[in-house]
Amino acid sequence: MRMFLRRLARDTDAASTIFFGLALTTLMGTSALAVDFGSMVLAKRRLQGITDAAVLSALGSDAAGRNAAIRASIAASGARNVGVALVQPGRYTRDAAVDLDQRFTSDPSATGALRLTLRQDVPLFFGTLLTGRPTTQVATTATAARADAAAFSLGSQALAVSNGIPAALLSALAGTNLMLTADDTVRLSGSSVQVARFADALRVQVGKPQATFGEVFGSQQNLSDVVSAAATASVDSQTARLLASVANQVQGQVRVGDIIDLGKFGQDDFVDGRFTASVDSYTLLRSLLQGADSRSQQVSLGLTLPGLASVNARIAGGPGTVHSPLLSVTDAQTVTLRTGQTRIALDARAGVAGIPGLATLDVPLFVEIALATARLSAVTCNGQAGSDRVSLSVVPSVGTAALASYDRTRMTDMTSPMPLGTATLANITLLKINGYSNVALGGTHAQTVTFSRAEIDRRAVRQVVTDDIVTGIAASVLRQTKLTVATGLLTVNASLVTSAVGTTLGTLGPGLDSVLNDLTAALGVRLGAANVAVDQVRCGMPVLI
């Protein structure tokens, strides 16, 4: 036996057969693993296609139908043993400065992006011998986003003012008499200019027909050319004639992009019907005239009002702390619209009865309106006809209304508060009447306003008011006025005089409120309130990201 083993060890015949047998075993094992691996790769590739289709279908449905859309996509693929591992709604930030893996953020309430993970059990052929299991699991993830956008505005509203204040305001802003009547301004307010048509007409007007809308809006243009383009874009022939007449009378330059923020639509260079946002002609013209001078402005208006001997209005306004467009088209929740800070001073003179030797009473009313803001909160596209919604986060303007003396030389200085003091209502021989009242409106927290598709289609204007808004600002100020009467060298509360003056002030409230409301409406602002509108909602097509 020992001799046999020695010969076998020295025998080299058929060695290749032995090595081949050993190698064949290894080769067969590797081939078996390759078959299973290839099967898994193929299954994962097919599952990725199913996941991509399912996430696109789900994002195009509303939240309630999302899971049903996913199941329908899986069933349509014919694949078996496929399950849902993760359905994660969220938001997708299209910002090159943000890393790709950080652009998607989970948000259960969001509808603009969706991440989906599917898993599938794949049968093993030879791997069962190693794992002891008949199947293994593969998983794939797909993320889709939809660029939903909305066009919304702050401060615009339809005017129903027929007393000439809007016409006088436009002429004051233009620095010349535009010869507009009250009926003209009502017509301007009731007629809209489609922004895309306006941008297209402006390119032609300034001799740059090949420029994008954003390029022509982003550069300084002659104000006359801009108003002429608005006239061309107007669908109402009478409004077009009014705007053309104004264009021949105005001077200066304006950057339209400061008034209308086109967002991504600024890259367009032709009108394709996707962008249908519009703005009423009066608001557009007023904003253009205001935008032609970026500094603070002051205009004076002489008004007439029944029961008052005279009413002089001073209006000062500026862009506020941050310049903001009137209308913005965006899908970003970081875009905030702001109204400009506004000051209105009404110097009224009224007759007074019951006080010997006193015929008239001076009533100085000062109103300061701070910024109102509106921010896009959410665009909800559910994939169902008529169910689209847009939500705005709105902070109404706050400010002060006072019967007080004020410094007329500081009306345009928006960098510091206006100092207010006791006002002299009358000052005749041996009689001096003083008064002071100050009403401040707060309520600075944001309120959410949601517009339905029906409200968007009819361009409804919604008003958001502060929690402590009062009906009749001027009337409230006059009711709360504290009066003091000085006769000779002795200061006393003379009940007869204060009663007569108080009665007079009480009768002035409704009339002054009417003037104040008309002025703020013409300016697109209001103390303690904000007017907002959503002009268009555009639901984008879901795309893989």
Side-chain angles (χ1 to χ4, degrees):
M1 184 67 175
R2 188 176 299 170
M3 294 297 293
F4 172 75
L5 292 176
R6 288 196 191 102
R7 288 197 305 268
L8 182 62
R10 290 193 298 268
D11 191 356
T12 59
D13 293 339
S16 59
T17 302
I18 296 173
F19 285 114
F20 177 75
L22 295 174
L24 182 60
T25 302
T26 304
L27 182 61
M28 291 177 65
T30 304
S31 299
L33 293 177
V35 170
D36 282 332
F37 181 76
S39 176
M40 292 170 55
V41 170
L42 181 60
K44 190 169 185 177
R45 182 176 297 177
R46 289 175 177 170
L47 184 61
Q48 184 66 62
I50 298 171
T51 308
D52 291 346
V55 75
L56 291 173
S57 177
L59 190 58
S61 305
D62 60 7
R66 185 179 294 153
N67 292 333
I70 294 172
R71 290 193 298 269
S73 294
I74 295 173
S77 70
R80 303 176 62 183
N81 302 321
V82 176
V84 178
L86 174 69
V87 179
Q88 187 177 41
R91 304 182 186 277
Y92 183 75
T93 303
R94 292 174 174 82
D95 189 346
V98 180
D99 292 339
L100 285 174
D101 58 352
Q102 296 179 353
R103 295 184 185 181
F104 178 87
T105 55
S106 177
D107 184 347
S109 63
T111 60
L114 184 69
R115 177 166 287 172
L116 174 65
T117 299
L118 298 182
R119 59 173 181 260
Q120 182 181 27
D121 291 330
V122 180
L124 295 175
F125 297 97
F126 301 100
T128 303
L129 300 175
L130 299 177
T131 63
R133 298 194 305 267
T135 63
T136 189
Q137 193 173 87
V138 295
T140 56
T141 298
T143 305
R146 185 178 59 202
D148 301 331
F152 68 105
S153 59
L154 171 66
S156 62
Q157 61 180 345
L159 285 173
V161 180
S162 57
N163 57 9
I165 288 179
L169 177 63
L170 292 179
S171 292
L173 290 172
T176 185
N177 188 355
L178 298 176
M179 305 300 290
L180 294 173
T181 67
D183 290 341
D184 291 338
T185 55
V186 171
R187 176 169 290 279
L188 287 171
S189 177
S191 176
S192 296
V193 174
Q194 194 175 88
V195 175
R197 288 168 54 93
F198 172 44
D200 192 41
L202 182 58
R203 293 188 307 171
V204 176
Q205 182 71 32
V206 300
K208 297 179 180 179
Q210 306 302 321
T212 65
F213 296 157
E215 289 171 345
V216 73
F217 271 24
S219 57
Q220 290 279 355
Q221 308 292 349
N222 290 329
L223 182 58
S224 58
D225 288 335
V226 176
V227 179
S228 292
T232 302
S234 177
V235 296
D236 179 73
S237 59
Q238 288 184 276
T239 301
R241 285 194 293 270
L242 289 173
L243 292 174
S245 174
V246 171
N248 292 329
Q249 303 176 67
V250 295
Q251 297 178 345
Q253 290 193 321
V254 65
R255 182 182 289 106
V256 183
D258 292 340
I259 300 167
I260 300 176
D261 174 21
L262 293 177
K264 61 184 178 182
F265 286 99
Q267 302 172 7
D268 292 353
D269 57 3
F270 64 95
V271 180
D272 59 2
R274 293 184 304 149
F275 183 31
T276 61
S278 61
V279 61
D280 74 84
S281 302
Y282 173 84
T283 301
L284 177 60
L285 180 58
R286 185 202 68 217
S287 300
L288 291 172
L289 293 174
Q290 290 174 320
D293 184 359
S294 60
R295 298 170 298 176
S296 296
Q297 305 165 334
Q298 179 174 235
V299 297
S300 298
L301 302 173
L303 308 174
T304 58
L305 190 67
L308 291 173
S310 65
V311 181
N312 293 313
R314 291 181 176 86
I315 304 170
T321 55
V322 181
H323 189 75
S324 172
L326 163 75
L327 180 144
S328 179
V329 186
T330 183
D331 60 353
Q333 297 185 350
T334 56
V335 175
T336 300
L337 302 188
R338 297 172 173 86
T339 59
Q341 188 174 356
T342 305
R343 287 173 174 171
I344 299 175
L346 296 179
D347 292 321
R349 175 164 292 181
V352 61
I355 303 177
L358 182 61
T360 60
L361 201 66
D362 292 327
V363 182
L365 189 66
F366 177 82
V367 176
E368 181 151 18
I369 304 174
L371 300 179
T373 65
R375 177 178 57 83
L376 182 65
S377 177
V379 178
T380 304
C381 294
N382 289 328
Q384 298 178 357
S387 64
D388 305 328
R389 302 187 306 276
V390 174
S391 296
L392 303 178
S393 178
V394 183
V395 178
S397 59
V398 297
T400 299
L403 188 152
S405 64
Y406 60 94
D407 189 347
R408 289 166 173 77
T409 65
R410 298 180 59 175
M411 281 288 290
T412 59
D413 181 10
M414 301 293 179
T415 60
S416 59
M418 172 69 76
L420 301 175
T422 300
T424 299
L425 307 186
N427 189 6
I428 59 175
T429 304
L430 299 180
L431 177 63
K432 184 177 182 180
I433 304 174
N434 296 326
Y436 181 80
S437 177
N438 194 325
V439 176
L441 295 180
T444 57
H445 68 277
Q447 302 179 41
T448 299
V449 182
T450 300
F451 289 78
S452 66
R453 166 59 84 172
E455 290 174 317
I456 297 170
D457 289 342
R458 70 172 184 267
R459 294 180 171 85
V461 176
R462 301 273 295 275
Q463 186 174 88
V464 181
V465 299
T466 59
D467 297 335
D468 55 359
I469 186 69
V470 293
T471 303
I473 299 295
S476 178
V477 171
L478 296 178
R479 281 196 305 269
Q480 299 182 39
T481 298
K482 295 181 179 179
L483 298 171
T484 57
V485 179
T487 57
L489 300 177
L490 180 64
T491 300
V492 296
N493 287 321
S495 59
L496 176 65
V497 175
T498 55
S499 176
V501 172
T503 300
T504 301
L505 292 179
T507 61
L508 298 181
L512 291 176
D513 269 319
S514 176
V515 173
L516 185 60
N517 289 337
D518 290 347
L519 284 172
T520 54
L523 290 166
V525 297
R526 185 180 172 186
L527 181 62
N531 292 318
V532 290
V534 176
D535 196 77
Q536 181 185 6
V537 57
R538 180 175 180 268
C539 298
M541 294 295 294
V543 295
L544 295 172
I545 53 176

